[in-house]
Amino acid sequence: MGMKKQYSIGLDFGSLSGRGVLADISDGRIIAEAVMEYPHGVMDSALPDGTPLVGEWCLQHPQDFVDVMEYVVPELMKNGHVDASQVVGIGIDFTASTVVPLNSKLTPLCFQPEFQSNPHAWVKMWKHHGAAKQAQK
């Protein structure tokens, strides 16, 4: 009896969407692909509660990342027609400079009511230049 085929999932979190592929690890062939646009996109003028952003803010909503995983991974499995037991790895790619402020329980600060209006509690994108003045000093 032959060995079951094995697969890996790759997830890429970009500026406006999250993308995923399901690949056959024996030859790298892409079996399925899925994409989801972020519901909140890039926040550069206001936070979800309406708090205005003045300056060169470039923020993201961490719930978008969770939503991508909850949508893209099942889509890959469904469209790839593979059993979850055949997936032996998941690789995740973000821009290395993406910063997610967390509390001691690893919860994004912006999920806490007392920080929802504070732009410093949200995900900072690679193109966020809110600290440009401080960096120039």
Side-chain angles (χ1 to χ4, degrees):
M1 185 150 132
M3 229 172 90
K4 272 184 162 181
K5 280 191 142 310
Q6 295 181 322
Y7 301 90
S8 184
I9 291 174
L11 299 172
D12 175 49
F13 293 87
S15 295
L16 297 172
S17 66
R19 298 161 293 278
V21 295
L22 177 68
D24 183 326
I25 66 167
S26 69
D27 59 10
R29 187 171 51 92
I30 303 298
I31 305 302
E33 299 179 55
V35 177
M36 180 182 161
E37 301 290 321
Y38 297 143
H40 298 93
V42 174
M43 298 182 297
D44 57 6
S45 59
L47 295 178
D49 70 356
T51 301
L53 297 171
V54 179
E56 295 185 60
W57 292 89
C58 241
L59 307 176
Q60 288 180 307
H61 198 309
Q63 186 62 48
D64 291 348
F65 308 143
V66 174
D67 291 347
V68 162
M69 286 190 289
E70 290 178 346
Y71 170 77
V72 167
V73 172
E75 280 294 299
L76 293 173
M77 300 305 293
K78 180 179 75 173
N79 296 335
H81 308 289
V82 301
D83 186 80
S85 67
Q86 294 174 270
V87 176
V88 296
I90 297 177
I92 297 177
D93 173 58
F94 269 88
T95 303
S97 59
T98 300
V99 177
V100 183
L102 306 171
N103 67 15
S104 62
K105 295 180 179 163
L106 304 179
T107 301
L109 291 181
C110 60
F111 286 173
Q112 298 177 242
E114 66 268 30
F115 294 117
Q116 288 178 351
S117 296
N118 184 336
H120 295 288
W122 295 83
V123 175
K124 311 296 182 295
M125 290 182 68
W126 61 270
K127 56 186 177 180
H128 173 75
H129 297 296
K133 286 186 227 169
Q134 290 81 359
Q136 289 169 357
K137 277 186 172 181

